[in-house]
Amino acid sequence: MKEKIEALLNEIDSFKASSKEQVEEFRIKLLSKKGKVGELFDEFKTVAPELRKEVGQKLNDLKNKAQDKLNALKEKFESSEEGNDKEQDLTLPAEAVSIGSRHPLSIVRNQIVDIFARIGFTVSEGPEVEDDWHNFSALNTPADHPARDMQDTFYINENPDIVLRTQTSSVQVHMMENTKPPIRTISPGRVYRNEAISARAHCQFHQVEGLYIDKHVSFADLKQTLMYFAKEMFGEKTQIRLRPSFFPFTEISAEMDVSCSLCEGAGCNVCKYTGWLEIMGCGMVDPNVLENCGIDSKQYSGFAFGMGIERITQIKYRVKDLRLYFENDVRFLKQFKSAL
Ligand code: 2NL
């Protein structure tokens, strides 16, 4: 009896199937009612009582082995249904791989970075969670300024105040603290404001801020740099206009408009019949900000500017609803395949 069990074990071990039919033959031969394992169980009744324990155990092991092997074989042939008996036609064309596209905000950020890189601006990045100093205080934003309000800014912690940065100027504060001028850098990145989400406002958006600090930097340098940017971004015919404005961190401050690229200034519904589109804020860095960051304002001056990437993208690609940028609907994203 023991020899028979041994022999059957070997047979199970060495068995190989090359088709589903052979697997079924294996099952019938060993595990069906009249199969070899069953036969041995019948024979077991004749085994002497003192050997029963040992032989019984071996018999059970055999049955389990056979069942395991059968399961493994079944699985193999089920997972490769036609697999082994049908030849695969290797000359068929490969299945098409669908290639994604860059997000429109990434496309435009890259364009902006490229334009400024050509005139010597480096790219700097920093944390999205900032302390009060880098987000507000160093930037000359007074304690009672509305931007500091809980209603406008996401606070991670109060006292000491830790916030989700509301502008990427915080990166440039780090930069000024750590580098000796000249500094010529742009900081692209995500920023947060506590706003109700609508077609025109969102609690997160993307900014590119620029900073240029050296001896004798003037407002004329600012104007020329931004004119170069506007023409590169929106086309050679683009005109710019600067309107006086106010920011805590710049003195003097301005807002910049570009001539509407759709109607070339004639007036249309995109520019609300003004011929102009507002695209960024800018100004000469306030001497207080320079001093806060350890730069001698008697020796150095600089300009800075900030723009929303969503806004530039909206103008360039006529995106009507801000929410489209963050919903990741492929019907929207697919439209930018050809844009780069
Ligand atoms: C806007 C206005 C602006 C700046 C950002 C800046 C940065 C430093 C110092 C001074 Cl480190 N200014 N950045 C200046 C003027 C305007 O952004 O409307 N952004 C979307």
Side-chain angles (χ1 to χ4, degrees):
M1 178 103 188
K2 277 195 215 161
E3 289 82 62
K4 280 186 188 167
I5 293 175
E6 213 53 55
L8 218 44
L9 272 174
N10 284 337
E11 198 176 320
I12 292 168
D13 266 343
S14 56
F15 181 80
K16 284 195 174 63
S18 53
S19 71
K20 262 185 154 174
E21 287 71 32
Q22 286 181 357
V23 177
E24 181 59 8
E25 277 168 28
F26 174 84
R27 186 190 69 79
I28 293 169
K29 187 173 167 190
L30 289 153
L31 288 162
S32 67
K33 269 193 185 142
K34 289 183 181 159
K36 287 189 173 182
V37 176
E39 267 175 27
L40 286 176
F41 269 94
D42 283 340
E43 208 180 316
F44 181 64
K45 290 168 193 150
T46 66
V47 171
E50 66 272 23
L51 291 173
R52 282 203 165 184
K53 195 175 171 203
E54 188 195 349
V55 176
Q57 200 135 42
K58 285 212 152 89
L59 211 47
N60 274 330
D61 286 349
L62 175 73
K63 190 180 164 195
N64 291 338
K65 262 241 165 91
Q67 191 62 54
D68 288 350
K69 179 92 177 196
L70 180 67
N71 291 344
L73 288 169
K74 270 189 178 163
E75 204 170 298
K76 181 174 157 198
F77 283 97
E78 256 149 40
S79 60
S80 60
E81 252 326 40
E82 318 150 18
N84 281 8
D85 16 353
K86 247 196 201 165
E87 289 276 320
Q88 288 220 355
D89 184 351
L90 298 176
T91 66
L92 286 173
E95 266 179 50
V97 178
S98 138
I99 295 172
S101 48
R102 232 181 261 294
H103 193 282
L105 295 177
S106 301
I107 295 171
V108 171
R109 182 206 50 217
N110 291 350
Q111 288 172 354
I112 298 171
V113 167
D114 284 349
I115 291 170
F116 282 104
R118 288 205 285 279
I119 53 171
F121 281 76
T122 61
V123 175
S124 47
E125 289 181 300
E128 292 182 12
V129 177
E130 269 295 3
D131 53 29
D132 172 274
W133 174 256
H134 290 93
N135 196 73
F136 292 126
S137 297
L139 288 160
N140 212 29
T141 308
D144 59 353
H145 194 276
R148 285 174 178 259
D149 204 292
M150 302 282 254
Q151 232 92 73
D152 295 315
T153 300
F154 291 114
Y155 279 76
I156 302 278
N157 191 58
E158 261 187 284
N159 232 336
D161 290 346
I162 308 287
V163 300
L164 291 184
R165 70 181 180 196
T166 57
Q167 68 239 12
T168 58
S169 347
S170 54
V171 179
Q172 303 180 324
V173 172
H174 286 286
M175 188 77 173
M176 287 189 280
E177 286 172 334
N178 302 328
T179 345
K180 204 173 136 20
I183 294 171
R184 207 163 11 174
T185 191
I186 54 169
S187 321
R190 196 192 304 256
V191 300
Y192 302 86
R193 298 198 183 163
N194 193 356
E195 300 241 18
I197 296 168
S198 72
R200 301 157 133 267
H202 211 286
C203 58
Q204 54 167 334
F205 65 99
H206 296 77
Q207 251 201 334
V208 176
E209 287 218 5
L211 177 72
Y212 178 27
I213 295 172
D214 204 348
K215 289 173 179 154
H216 317 299
V217 175
S218 73
F219 196 79
D221 297 318
L222 167 65
K223 197 170 170 184
Q224 189 62 42
T225 303
L226 295 185
M227 180 145 85
Y228 156 79
F229 167 74
K231 287 180 184 289
E232 291 292 305
M233 194 74 211
F234 299 109
E236 190 51 41
K237 286 187 190 154
T238 310
Q239 302 292 305
I240 64 164
R241 129 179 132 169
L242 290 162
R243 288 175 288 107
S245 185
F246 174 82
F247 301 106
F249 26 84
T250 44
E251 180 64 34
I252 58 177
S253 309
E255 257 156 311
M256 185 173 94
D257 301 340
V258 289
S259 53
C260 178
S261 51
L262 200 72
C263 62
E264 292 182 3
C268 66
N269 65 344
V270 171
C271 59
K272 301 204 187 84
Y273 302 96
T274 63
W276 296 98
L277 297 164
E278 185 188 327
I279 63 158
M280 69 166 92
C282 59
M284 301 307 290
V285 179
D286 192 302
N288 289 340
V289 174
L290 294 176
E291 296 292 339
N292 285 343
C293 302
I295 293 172
D296 182 356
S297 63
K298 300 251 162 21
Q299 248 194 316
Y300 291 101
S301 58
F303 67 72
F305 55 87
M307 65 188 117
I309 304 180
E310 280 79 355
R311 172 78 178 144
I312 307 290
T313 312
Q314 176 199 24
I315 293 170
K316 193 130 187 181
Y317 295 116
R318 314 251 170 263
V319 179
K320 296 227 164 65
D321 190 321
L322 260 180
R323 290 168 289 197
L324 285 165
Y325 292 125
F326 304 114
E327 283 167 352
N328 287 334
D329 185 330
V330 287
R331 289 169 301 180
F332 170 68
L333 299 175
K334 257 189 343 200
Q335 298 174 50
F336 296 90
K337 270 195 177 166
S338 61
L340 236 96

